Amino acid sequence: MSADETLSSKTIDTIRTLAIDAVEKANSGHPGAPMALAPAAYTLWSRFLRYDPDRPDWPNRDRFVLSNGHASMLLYALLHLSGVKEIGKDGRPTGKPAVSLDDIKNFRQLDSKTPGHPEYRHTTGVETTTGPLGQGCGNSVGMAIAAKWKAARFNRGSDTLFDSDVYVFCSDGDMMEGVASEAASLAGHLKLSNLCWIYDNNSVTIEGHTPLAFSEDVAERFRGYGWNTLHVADAEDCEAIAHAIETFQTSDDAPTLILLDSVIGFGAPDAGTSKLHSDAMGEEAVRATKRAYGWPEDAQFLVPDGVADHFHRTMAERVKPLTERWDSMLADWRTANPDLASAYDAMESGALPDGWESDLPSFTDSDDPVATRNAGGEVLVALAQKIPTLVGGAADLAPSTKTKLDFPGAGALEADSPGGRTMHFGIREHAMGAIANGMAVSGLRPFTATFLVFSDYMRPPMRLAALMEVPTLFIFTHDSIGVGEDGPTHQPVEQIAGLRAIPNMHVFRPADAHESREAWKVAVQQSRTPSTLIFSRQKLPILDEARDHAGEGVAKGAYILADAEGGDPDLILMATGSEVSLCLDARVELAKRGVKTRVVSMPCWSLFEQQDAAYREKVLPRTVTTRLAVEAASPLGWDRYTGPDGDILAMHGFGASGPAPDVQEKFGFTVDHVCKLASALVRQAEPA
Amino acid sequence: MSADETLSSKTIDTIRTLAIDAVEKANSGHPGAPMALAPAAYTLWSRFLRYDPDRPDWPNRDRFVLSNGHASMLLYALLHLSGVKEIGKDGRPTGKPAVSLDDIKNFRQLDSKTPGHPEYRHTTGVETTTGPLGQGCGNSVGMAIAAKWKAARFNRGSDTLFDSDVYVFCSDGDMMEGVASEAASLAGHLKLSNLCWIYDNNSVTIEGHTPLAFSEDVAERFRGYGWNTLHVADAEDCEAIAHAIETFQTSDDAPTLILLDSVIGFGAPDAGTSKLHSDAMGEEAVRATKRAYGWPEDAQFLVPDGVADHFHRTMAERVKPLTERWDSMLADWRTANPDLASAYDAMESGALPDGWESDLPSFTDSDDPVATRNAGGEVLVALAQKIPTLVGGAADLAPSTKTKLDFPGAGALEADSPGGRTMHFGIREHAMGAIANGMAVSGLRPFTATFLVFSDYMRPPMRLAALMEVPTLFIFTHDSIGVGEDGPTHQPVEQIAGLRAIPNMHVFRPADAHESREAWKVAVQQSRTPSTLIFSRQKLPILDEARDHAGEGVAKGAYILADAEGGDPDLILMATGSEVSLCLDARVELAKRGVKTRVVSMPCWSLFEQQDAAYREKVLPRTVTTRLAVEAASPLGWDRYTGPDGDILAMHGFGASGPAPDVQEKFGFTVDHVCKLASALVRQAEPA
């Protein structure tokens, strides 16, 4: 063995023993996959990954995604041993390592850099949060789309600013999850030749051997998706791994799947069994394993001399010439392409371009009623003309969700037009969300669209957007029983409450065209919070009151849309979306009966909760306890605003198929019924 | 053309024109798929489907699933023309048709038998609710599993009580949805030779032609799953369709996919385009289409003489001999197998067998603390020994969720042991839910299991279980930040609120082993409501108080676990799950400080809401407004019980990776912190 070969072998075993020791110390974690994948990871990082450990934020770096996030120690060991430097919260290098040896000793401890699963924004070098299986695969498709999009948008002549590849390690679980299947199908369709999934084919899952539940021919399935597939029969064979990666790099027409036959917990006495999947191995097995590696069995967290230097050097020496060339290319390109350069800078900084809100549609009183899906769609198209990174589409529902970017030059994002703006996700809601998140961590401002009821299909990536603090824009139309004839399978009831429960997620349900515009404005200005924008299928009146107050009000989450006339209100009606205009009509009717009514529009609860106590008290004064909330959805959560003396007109079961007005009447969403409930509350509140 | 051929052709065109006319009258719906699929549907129903229109509840009938539920008019036309008889809500024939011509004229109208998407329990002959794409495919796998399970359990010698097939019509959308991919992979693994999917390969979706987003080789993908694949190049060619179905019937080692190339809206001027996907065609196009069929263009809802008789006759004459033979076989079998017969009767009636609760584990004070996942698992295994139809498993987490049925004779449900009791769903949560629902509509009592955070992956089938009113049992463990080291990706926060928002879903989060047993008892007694059972990973004390009161209390959803001593309470602490014992400890501490505290355990909100006002007032008296709710989850919904003077100790963001006690302390779930918040509330409430 040459000196370099010896060092390579030592580096691989260092990755393994760090994983073993960290899991052992934490008494928790997953040692088996890092032990199996260390050779492939080392080969990829040292020989192929265009990633400068000293500059982990280089824009054109290759991305590495550990979709089997439970193998987090693999990634932490790689980051530590290759000497990746930390980037601080302010975006500047801190001079510290991304992951120190102490961090590894604190694996899975509170507030360490090394949580149980890799967390985006928490540890430098973690390109996306993984753990929920299949999500990393979905993200990687978004990253590959983003890389090709940036290449199409920014590369000029021989100035190749963007040509990065995306490498993914994934597991049996990823192969089984539907979200990864959906993402793989779309990746094949888009011919993402910059995408390489390396599948850890270890035939072991938590319940035992995969033949218990998984006997498909994965390669054949992926060929069906239009992928190139390669097979490496021995995960210890670094040359075979390298050869497979080289083959991937020569491909220009399809993504690549490398099936890597591996032995989970390689080197351990119980290698190849589900015992090695989770949990610490125990002292005896650890010693035996280290002996098998030719490792000092008493050593813990040992990094032999030369290993870290070697690993860092293999990467830095290979990549630094690339980044230096890239820097000088960027400088020349800036001079030659000043307009592109400012778009590039806006993308990299995440800032909205100047004038982004200068040409938004304004709606006038004389306009006919308009569905908020249409109003929202108009605003989206106007925003997209100003914000070049706003890229996205629907899960085969663009005509219904009004989310097609149809201005000149927008175009479709397809295999032969990777710089297009409108994406066709297909009927793949789950992958749509995961792909959008991958685009978001790549610096784009992705949006997705489908019917609100199908938000259920994509909750996992919505949660991850909130957890990762990326501002993905989730559009949902067909917001309630107002859907009408399609019936209860298509009428959301519990979805709004379920989405409001997600931390760090703004959920907007605008009442009319004005509120739709204002909701969009708040949403696109978020940099750390995803937004859910919920629009109606049915037409809604354009409200004078919203014209006057929505500009300030929507940003505060809730506001007085129309106040009681002639003194303090007897009653507060509060609502969102299509039920706001119902409340306004009821207010007029109640006034005739002598009931002084305030109408509060509450398009975004989470923003209202962020206001100070004085504002909240102003909108919902504690003295006015006669309150009625109206929302054609689950009542869950409304008690916070109605209090014990109030009432809630909501959906207590599923909807029904019929013309929307009939359905709304059946469930009591009429002016008459609102007035009846309101009058009963007012009577109840009168002194006996 | 022979007379029969003429009638066949007429029947096919009647199906088409009924669909056209119904959509036209409703001015809403999807005419194109019924027009394309009428020949295949007619061929399947008239020549192959073992389904007696006069007896649509025959236990061994073949199942027909319209996974592309938006094509509902196809199914309604089939039910009408073949003369399927209605079964009433009491399970007895009403003498009326399942779908009358008037029902078809009332397509998509409120309270009609013909809602926009087919609804289980609403229209006789609808085997499962479809519309959300992919779900019907998932259900069908559960139906096929159930058919083979019943065959293994009940068939004896030549007495073949069960040998039914499951036929599915599905669309591009179904092929793209991950849930169908997951289900197909498991169906191939289980070699479900009684399952046939007929894929309407029309190359058109809502956004346009499928090449926009879908270019995979579906057949190759399915071969990868281990399916047989067949291709019918012309959906008008009934003989080719028949031949493909015959080929399916001869297969005994794998499920079958028939790719049926079709023209959406066959016969219409815009046939083969997305215009035919949704919406009414308009009068002119309707006339042109009818002319193309050789149909009287002025006629509406025309059923030519002889068509209905012909269709009914082809099915009845073929199937009645089968059902008659089956009835006499059943009678003989009953005599020969009295034990099996009583199990069969219990399954068919849905009743629990006598003595089902006689041997449930009782937990004693002297037992060490036990995680509710372990306690719940013990109860599950005990129940399963008494209830033979309790069949299910986990998404590769049986060891963690404690859901393996490990008693003698239980066995795994695999291709070569289709009568087993423990299923290995693989890492396919979404399909797991959909498959379980398919088993539920087949008369089994399925259960599923995974971590609570991954309930997000399976919300669509959970919603459908609630909507279909089937009592699927959804087990979730690892219920909170108590998960510890796995960190925020694995720590549920918003899931409990999101599940509570689903109508007709009981969500149980038991506080200890006693409550776990009682929750299970309530759950298995449901016949029309699915249950979500949420258990802890971490150990929890076994509560004396629960031993005494949980029996009555859990069934009421919330109850007084420990009351204030020496008079009315100054404070009510309320909690669920692991936070209940925290509140009990805080109560003792608060008593030392002179605060008289009631602790209310609230394991199931929906059951509490069903109690009368007197009971609810008894548990949470309006006079005691000093209240603190404690739940390591989103606060959404708790205000209903705490009121404006109360407080909520909950999670306002995502969790963190670390040992569980550290994480719980970080977020304030300690006795000290509960006491501090409680004391502040009590002070606040004191008269100034």
Side-chain angles (χ1 to χ4, degrees):
Chain A
M1 230 188 256
S2 73
D4 255 15
E5 280 169 347
T6 307
L7 271 173
S8 296
S9 169
K10 264 194 194 169
T11 307
I12 289 167
D13 288 340
T14 308
I15 293 169
R16 288 169 158 149
T17 51
L18 284 178
I20 291 169
D21 290 339
V23 171
E24 203 65 18
K25 181 153 186 280
N27 195 26
S28 152
H30 301 76
M35 293 159 75
L37 293 173
Y42 170 76
T43 303
L44 172 64
W45 279 51
S46 64
R47 294 170 60 177
F48 298 97
L49 201 71
R50 291 174 294 180
Y51 188 96
D52 181 351
D54 300 311
R55 191 178 169 189
D57 56 353
W58 177 41
N60 192 34
R61 70 190 178 278
D62 288 344
R63 263 65 172 182
F64 175 76
V65 175
L66 187 73
S67 191
N68 48 340
H70 57 269
S72 55
M73 262 312 302
L74 177 66
L75 180 52
Y76 300 142
L78 291 166
L79 293 172
H80 173 64
L81 293 175
S82 68
V84 171
K85 302 291 185 295
E86 187 181 61
I87 305 290
K89 289 209 187 298
D90 60 358
R92 283 201 285 259
T94 64
K96 295 184 209 164
V99 174
S100 69
L101 196 59
D102 277 342
D103 290 327
I104 287 178
K105 290 176 183 169
N106 276 316
F107 181 50
R108 290 182 158 238
Q109 303 309 299
L110 204 56
D111 302 323
S112 74
K113 287 280 168 202
T114 48
H117 292 82
E119 295 179 28
Y120 181 69
R121 291 195 192 280
H122 187 84
T123 313
T124 302
V126 173
E127 303 281 10
T128 183
T129 297
T130 53
L133 291 171
Q135 299 298 328
C137 289
N139 298 158
S140 74
V141 173
M143 292 175 182
I145 288 169
K148 287 200 176 243
W149 188 89
K150 292 183 202 174
R153 288 271 155 178
F154 296 112
N155 293 354
R156 284 294 179 273
S158 62
D159 290 342
T160 303
L161 251 62
F162 291 104
D163 65 349
S164 64
D165 290 326
V166 182
Y167 294 93
V168 181
F169 276 16
C170 51
S171 62
D172 292 307
D174 292 296
M175 291 296 109
M176 287 192 245
E177 290 287 4
V179 59
S181 300
E182 292 175 9
S185 175
L186 190 60
H189 173 75
L190 293 175
K191 303 186 196 298
L192 298 176
S193 55
N194 57 342
L195 179 64
C196 179
W197 290 5
I198 299 173
Y199 161 39
D200 177 22
N201 186 25
N202 64 23
S203 305
V204 169
T205 61
I206 291 174
E207 290 186 359
H209 282 265
T210 49
L212 278 174
F214 193 57
S215 46
E216 65 178 54
D217 182 335
V218 173
E220 183 167 24
R221 169 157 71 99
F222 273 72
R223 284 194 296 273
Y225 294 138
W227 287 50
N228 296 322
T229 65
L230 301 167
H231 184 210
V232 173
D234 179 4
E236 296 299 302
D237 184 347
C238 292
E239 289 314 309
I241 292 163
H243 182 68
I245 296 172
E246 281 160 3
T247 307
F248 152 68
Q249 291 185 335
T250 62
S251 153
D252 62 359
D253 62 343
T256 295
L257 177 76
I258 300 174
L259 292 97
L260 180 69
D261 293 352
S262 78
V263 176
I264 194 167
F266 180 85
D270 285 323
T273 75
S274 58
K275 286 187 194 166
L276 266 296
H277 184 278
S278 351
D279 302 333
M281 295 162 61
E283 195 189 333
E284 203 172 325
V286 170
R287 284 180 173 275
T289 307
K290 288 180 179 168
R291 277 198 303 274
Y293 296 154
W295 209 252
E297 64 184 85
D298 285 327
Q300 287 181 352
F301 300 102
L302 172 67
V303 180
D305 286 348
V307 159
D309 278 354
H310 160 80
F311 198 4
H312 180 266
R313 185 167 37 79
T314 60
M315 293 179 69
E317 284 182 1
R318 184 168 49 76
V319 179
K320 279 201 198 306
L322 299 178
T323 58
E324 281 161 16
R325 197 158 62 237
W326 190 87
D327 287 337
S328 86
M329 178 171 66
L330 179 69
D332 296 346
W333 174 89
R334 272 189 189 289
T335 315
N337 305 281
D339 286 354
L340 276 180
S342 69
Y344 168 82
D345 289 334
M347 178 178 77
E348 288 297 311
S349 73
L352 294 174
D354 289 342
W356 65 272
E357 56 177 328
S358 56
D359 290 320
L360 298 183
S362 58
F363 304 92
T364 65
D365 317 357
S366 59
D367 285 343
D368 287 334
V370 59
T372 53
R373 63 171 166 163
N374 291 78
E378 274 188 60
V379 179
L380 168 65
V381 170
L383 286 167
Q385 289 180 73
K386 302 283 182 179
I387 308 172
T389 50
L390 202 54
V391 179
D396 194 46
L397 286 172
S400 302
T401 56
K402 311 297 175 191
T403 50
K404 185 173 179 181
L405 303 183
D406 52 7
F407 54 88
L413 192 158
E414 288 286 349
D416 56 4
S417 56
R421 301 287 296 279
T422 294
M423 298 179 65
H424 296 282
F425 285 104
I427 303 163
R428 306 181 181 100
E429 297 83 5
H430 198 168
M432 174 168 70
I435 290 168
N437 288 344
M439 294 165 67
V441 298
S442 305
L444 303 192
R445 284 304 303 272
F447 67 89
T448 68
T450 183
F451 292 165
L452 178 56
V453 79
F454 300 134
S455 62
D456 280 359
Y457 277 68
M458 51 190 291
R459 275 182 73 92
M462 294 183 75
R463 172 175 225 257
L464 281 164
L467 178 55
M468 290 201 281
E469 300 179 7
V470 293
T472 308
L473 299 158
F474 300 103
I475 303 167
F476 297 106
T477 64
H478 295 59
D479 69 338
S480 69
I481 51 168
V483 164
E485 288 90 345
D486 274 344
T489 56
H490 284 55
Q491 291 167 353
V493 170
E494 71 276 24
Q495 282 68 21
I496 300 176
L499 294 167
R500 283 177 180 146
I502 302 176
N504 191 41
M505 170 70 76
H506 290 324
V507 177
F508 297 91
R509 187 172 183 244
D512 79 338
H514 297 299
E515 282 198 3
S516 299
R517 182 189 60 241
E518 299 306 319
W520 261 119
K521 282 165 64 178
V522 179
V524 293
Q525 291 182 78
Q526 304 300 313
S527 58
R528 291 288 186 115
T529 300
S531 294
T532 293
L533 295 138
I534 299 175
F535 298 113
S536 73
R537 170 181 186 261
Q538 75 272 26
K539 290 181 180 175
L540 298 177
I542 299 179
L543 305 173
D544 289 359
E545 298 86 347
R547 177 198 60 209
D548 299 338
H549 303 295
E552 208 176 337
V554 171
K556 292 187 170 167
Y559 65 106
I560 302 168
L561 187 65
D563 210 350
E565 282 178 18
D568 291 336
D570 303 316
L571 167 76
I572 297 175
L573 291 178
M574 52 188 99
T576 74
S578 45
E579 286 71 68
V580 171
S581 54
L582 192 61
C583 288
L584 285 174
D585 290 347
R587 172 175 167 274
V588 173
E589 196 54 43
L590 288 162
K592 293 182 195 159
R593 303 182 197 176
V595 178
K596 298 194 291 287
T597 303
R598 168 181 294 184
V599 174
V600 172
S601 180
M602 304 192 69
C604 181
W605 290 13
S606 53
L607 285 171
F608 184 57
E609 293 294 331
Q610 289 174 8
Q611 306 310 309
D612 61 26
Y615 181 77
R616 283 182 283 126
E617 173 66 19
K618 190 184 122 197
V619 175
L620 298 176
R622 205 176 157 101
T623 48
V624 186
T625 59
T626 306
R627 304 173 176 193
L628 176 62
V630 184
E631 189 171 53
S634 162
L636 194 83
W638 273 109
D639 295 274
R640 181 166 182 81
Y641 305 116
T642 55
D645 299 321
D647 197 2
I648 307 165
L649 171 54
M651 293 293 293
H652 294 274
F654 293 102
S657 171
D662 296 357
V663 178
Q664 286 162 331
E665 184 170 353
K666 178 185 173 88
F667 293 106
F669 293 90
T670 62
V671 174
D672 270 2
H673 192 232
V674 170
C675 290
K676 194 176 146 194
L677 292 177
S679 300
L681 279 177
V682 171
R683 271 197 308 277
Q684 202 176 63
E686 279 166 2
Chain B
M1 228 187 255
S2 72
D4 255 16
E5 281 169 348
T6 307
L7 271 172
S8 296
S9 170
K10 266 194 193 170
T11 307
I12 289 168
D13 288 339
T14 308
I15 293 170
R16 289 170 158 148
T17 50
L18 285 178
I20 291 169
D21 290 338
V23 170
E24 204 65 19
K25 180 153 187 279
N27 195 26
S28 152
H30 300 76
M35 292 159 76
L37 293 173
Y42 170 76
T43 303
L44 171 64
W45 279 52
S46 65
R47 292 171 60 176
F48 298 97
L49 201 71
R50 290 172 295 178
Y51 188 95
D52 182 351
D54 300 312
R55 191 178 168 186
D57 57 352
W58 176 41
N60 192 35
R61 68 188 179 278
D62 288 345
R63 262 67 173 182
F64 174 75
V65 175
L66 186 74
S67 191
N68 47 342
H70 56 270
S72 55
M73 261 313 302
L74 176 67
L75 181 52
Y76 300 142
L78 291 166
L79 293 171
H80 173 63
L81 293 175
S82 68
V84 172
K85 302 291 183 296
E86 186 180 63
I87 305 289
K89 289 208 185 298
D90 60 358
R92 282 200 285 260
T94 64
K96 295 186 211 162
V99 173
S100 68
L101 196 60
D102 278 343
D103 292 327
I104 287 179
K105 291 177 182 169
N106 277 315
F107 181 51
R108 292 182 156 239
Q109 303 309 299
L110 204 55
D111 301 323
S112 75
K113 287 280 168 201
T114 48
H117 293 82
E119 296 179 27
Y120 181 69
R121 292 195 192 280
H122 188 83
T123 312
T124 302
V126 173
E127 303 281 10
T128 183
T129 297
T130 53
L133 290 170
Q135 299 298 327
C137 289
N139 298 158
S140 74
V141 173
M143 292 175 183
I145 288 169
K148 287 202 175 241
W149 188 90
K150 292 183 201 175
R153 288 271 155 177
F154 295 113
N155 292 356
R156 286 295 178 274
S158 63
D159 290 341
T160 303
L161 252 62
F162 290 105
D163 64 350
S164 64
D165 291 326
V166 182
Y167 295 94
V168 181
F169 276 17
C170 50
S171 62
D172 292 306
D174 292 296
M175 290 298 107
M176 287 192 245
E177 289 287 3
V179 59
S181 299
E182 293 176 9
S185 175
L186 190 60
H189 173 76
L190 293 175
K191 303 185 196 298
L192 297 177
S193 55
N194 57 340
L195 179 64
C196 179
W197 290 5
I198 299 172
Y199 160 39
D200 177 22
N201 187 25
N202 64 23
S203 305
V204 169
T205 61
I206 292 174
E207 290 185 0
H209 280 265
T210 49
L212 278 175
F214 191 58
S215 47
E216 64 178 54
D217 182 334
V218 174
E220 184 167 24
R221 170 156 71 100
F222 273 72
R223 284 193 296 273
Y225 293 139
W227 287 50
N228 297 321
T229 65
L230 301 168
H231 184 210
V232 173
D234 178 4
E236 295 299 301
D237 184 347
C238 291
E239 288 314 307
I241 292 162
H243 182 68
I245 296 172
E246 281 160 3
T247 306
F248 152 68
Q249 291 185 335
T250 62
S251 154
D252 62 359
D253 62 342
T256 295
L257 177 75
I258 300 174
L259 293 97
L260 180 70
D261 293 352
S262 78
V263 176
I264 195 168
F266 180 86
D270 286 322
T273 75
S274 58
K275 285 188 194 165
L276 266 296
H277 184 277
S278 350
D279 302 333
M281 295 161 62
E283 195 187 334
E284 203 172 324
V286 169
R287 284 180 174 275
T289 306
K290 287 181 179 169
R291 278 198 302 275
Y293 295 154
W295 209 252
E297 63 183 81
D298 285 327
Q300 287 181 354
F301 299 102
L302 172 67
V303 179
D305 286 348
V307 159
D309 278 355
H310 159 80
F311 198 4
H312 180 267
R313 185 166 37 79
T314 61
M315 293 180 69
E317 282 182 1
R318 185 169 48 76
V319 180
K320 278 202 199 307
L322 299 177
T323 58
E324 281 162 17
R325 198 158 61 237
W326 190 87
D327 286 338
S328 87
M329 180 171 64
L330 178 69
D332 295 347
W333 174 89
R334 273 189 188 289
T335 315
N337 305 281
D339 287 353
L340 276 181
S342 68
Y344 168 82
D345 290 335
M347 178 178 76
E348 289 296 311
S349 72
L352 294 173
D354 289 342
W356 66 271
E357 58 176 325
S358 57
D359 290 321
L360 297 183
S362 57
F363 304 93
T364 64
D365 318 356
S366 59
D367 286 342
D368 287 333
V370 60
T372 52
R373 63 171 167 163
N374 291 78
E378 274 189 60
V379 179
L380 167 64
V381 170
L383 285 168
Q385 290 180 72
K386 302 285 182 179
I387 308 172
T389 50
L390 202 54
V391 179
D396 194 48
L397 287 172
S400 302
T401 56
K402 312 297 176 190
T403 49
K404 184 172 178 184
L405 304 183
D406 52 6
F407 54 87
L413 191 158
E414 288 286 350
D416 56 3
S417 55
R421 300 287 296 279
T422 294
M423 298 178 67
H424 297 281
F425 286 104
I427 303 163
R428 306 181 181 100
E429 298 82 5
H430 198 168
M432 174 169 71
I435 289 168
N437 288 345
M439 294 165 68
V441 298
S442 305
L444 303 192
R445 283 305 304 273
F447 67 90
T448 68
T450 184
F451 293 164
L452 178 57
V453 79
F454 301 135
S455 63
D456 280 358
Y457 277 69
M458 51 190 291
R459 276 181 71 92
M462 295 183 75
R463 170 176 227 255
L464 280 165
L467 178 55
M468 291 200 281
E469 301 179 7
V470 294
T472 308
L473 299 157
F474 300 103
I475 303 168
F476 297 106
T477 65
H478 296 56
D479 69 337
S480 69
I481 52 169
V483 163
E485 289 89 346
D486 274 343
T489 56
H490 284 55
Q491 291 167 352
V493 170
E494 70 277 24
Q495 282 68 20
I496 300 176
L499 294 167
R500 283 178 180 146
I502 302 177
N504 191 40
M505 170 70 77
H506 290 324
V507 177
F508 296 91
R509 186 171 182 243
D512 79 336
H514 298 297
E515 282 198 4
S516 299
R517 182 189 60 241
E518 298 306 319
W520 262 118
K521 283 164 65 178
V522 179
V524 294
Q525 290 181 79
Q526 304 300 313
S527 58
R528 291 287 186 116
T529 301
S531 293
T532 294
L533 294 138
I534 299 174
F535 298 113
S536 74
R537 170 180 185 260
Q538 75 272 28
K539 289 181 182 175
L540 298 177
I542 299 179
L543 306 172
D544 289 359
E545 298 86 346
R547 177 199 59 211
D548 298 338
H549 303 295
E552 210 176 336
V554 171
K556 292 187 170 167
Y559 65 106
I560 302 168
L561 187 65
D563 211 348
E565 280 179 19
D568 290 337
D570 303 316
L571 167 77
I572 297 175
L573 291 177
M574 52 188 100
T576 74
S578 45
E579 287 72 68
V580 171
S581 54
L582 191 62
C583 288
L584 285 175
D585 290 348
R587 173 175 168 273
V588 172
E589 197 53 44
L590 288 162
K592 293 181 195 159
R593 304 182 196 175
V595 179
K596 298 193 291 285
T597 304
R598 168 181 293 185
V599 174
V600 172
S601 180
M602 304 192 69
C604 182
W605 291 12
S606 53
L607 285 170
F608 184 56
E609 292 294 331
Q610 289 175 8
Q611 305 310 309
D612 60 27
Y615 181 77
R616 285 183 282 128
E617 173 66 20
K618 191 185 123 196
V619 175
L620 298 175
R622 206 176 155 103
T623 48
V624 186
T625 59
T626 307
R627 303 173 176 192
L628 176 63
V630 185
E631 189 170 53
S634 162
L636 194 83
W638 273 109
D639 295 274
R640 180 166 182 82
Y641 304 116
T642 56
D645 299 321
D647 197 2
I648 307 166
L649 171 54
M651 293 292 294
H652 294 272
F654 294 103
S657 172
D662 296 356
V663 178
Q664 285 161 332
E665 185 170 353
K666 178 184 174 87
F667 293 106
F669 293 90
T670 62
V671 174
D672 270 2
H673 191 233
V674 171
C675 290
K676 194 176 148 196
L677 292 177
S679 300
L681 280 177
V682 171
R683 270 196 308 278
Q684 200 177 63
E686 277 167 5

